[in-house]
Amino acid sequence: MLEIRDLTVRYGRIAAVQGASLHVGEGELVGLVGPNGAGKSSTLKAVAGLVGAADGEVLVAGEPVGSSPIRAGIAYVPESRRIFGGLTVEENLRLGATTRGRSDRSAELRRMYERFPLLGTRRRSGAGDLSGGQQQILAIARALVARPRLLLLDEPTLGLSPAMIDEVFGIVASLREDGVTVLLVEQNTLRTLALADRTYVMRPPGQIVFEGSQAELERDPTVEQRYLQLL
Ligand code: ATP
């Protein structure tokens, strides 16, 4: 579903990502972990079209994403969530559904309220009045109403309480059960390794140094010694 080939992202003279390659198969849940400043967010932003690639290619279903990531079926939930605090929960969800027809839009909202009953209960509440974890659930739901082919999640558990971290990891696990293709950036390395089908490890400056499943990582303790101790 997603193929990143030799991606380089630069901010002026800083090379945040240097020749990174990764792939995510249809229906796969793939993790991307690494210490602060490794280049994880910049990789996601390049896929979402928010930063340009200085070099390399991003393909979705074999086609270059180019300038239209939304048309390519990519939904991106940024680290800071970016819900609209001054709008209601429902208005936020409607914004996520603008690419769908009117009847589809109502059906998608119903689907989200069934899936996330809390959002149904709070549909008329100001989104800014929700807790951080509830806002994260809203941000994920807003991305899902567009029925994306590929969902990019940037540190969805950042700053959440332990109970909410459990809840968000549970939601991510359920997305995989529903066949949604997910690329998940996380600081919570061990839980990501346990959940994901495969995980990539990045380290500064912007290099992918390991790719594999939790079982593969456990078979190769040098990877843990060399890279995961950094985390
Ligand atoms: P974090 O978990 O801290 O977000 P990360 O692995 O997601 O880390 P990035 O945010 O992609 O890493 O940052 C990679 C490098 O690029 C870092 O050195 C960072 O300081 C730099 N960087 C990121 N965004 C910008 C920007 N807008 N302008 C200049 N440098 C940037």
Side-chain angles (χ1 to χ4, degrees):
M1 183 58 79
L2 171 68
E3 187 165 3
I4 298 175
R5 288 188 196 148
D6 298 324
L7 177 70
T8 294
V9 174
R10 290 182 191 284
Y11 302 104
R13 291 168 64 182
I14 297 171
V17 181
Q18 297 194 37
S21 296
L22 67 81
H23 61 96
V24 183
E26 189 168 359
E28 231 186 348
L29 167 55
V30 170
L32 179 58
V33 300
N36 286 334
K40 308 178 301 293
S41 294
S42 298
T43 302
L44 283 201
K45 284 179 186 164
V47 176
L50 296 173
V51 298
D55 207 352
E57 274 189 309
V58 177
L59 307 170
V60 168
E63 298 287 326
V65 172
S67 57
S68 48
I70 293 175
R71 215 169 301 146
I74 296 172
Y76 166 64
V77 180
E79 187 178 304
S80 49
R81 293 161 204 151
R82 304 233 183 95
I83 52 114
F84 294 95
L87 301 182
T88 65
V89 166
E90 180 143 323
E91 286 163 344
N92 270 275
L93 289 176
R94 283 190 184 282
L95 285 175
T98 48
T99 53
R100 308 192 68 86
R102 192 179 289 250
S103 58
D104 269 10
R105 220 174 290 172
S106 301
E108 284 305 319
L109 293 195
R110 278 199 302 278
R111 192 168 72 91
M112 285 307 133
Y113 293 145
E114 274 164 30
R115 179 169 196 152
F116 306 111
L118 165 102
L119 298 181
T121 316
R122 304 292 303 271
R123 58 198 280 193
R124 308 258 175 258
S125 306
D129 295 334
L130 301 182
S131 71
Q134 292 168 343
Q135 289 184 10
Q136 185 63 65
I137 293 169
L138 174 58
I140 293 172
R142 189 179 59 187
L144 290 175
V145 288
R147 290 212 182 232
R149 297 160 100 178
L150 172 67
L151 180 65
L152 308 173
L153 296 175
D154 195 353
E155 299 205 21
T157 64
L158 191 72
L160 301 186
S161 66
M164 266 302 175
I165 291 176
D166 287 348
E167 172 112 17
V168 169
F169 269 106
I171 289 171
V172 176
S174 71
L175 294 176
R176 195 232 324 256
E177 280 157 29
D178 291 352
V180 180
T181 305
V182 181
L183 179 56
L184 168 70
V185 164
E186 256 300 330
Q187 292 268 343
N188 206 324
T189 305
L190 295 180
R191 289 191 72 162
T192 302
L193 280 165
L195 180 64
D197 297 306
R198 287 182 299 114
T199 298
Y200 290 85
V201 181
M202 266 188 124
R203 71 167 182 182
Q207 285 159 346
I208 289 178
V209 289
F210 171 79
E211 178 227 329
S213 64
Q214 185 182 30
E216 284 164 334
L217 183 73
E218 281 166 359
R219 277 200 295 275
D220 185 354
T222 56
V223 173
E224 192 181 354
Q225 280 160 16
R226 268 192 233 149
Y227 306 123
L228 293 180
Q229 280 178 2
L230 292 168
L231 305 183

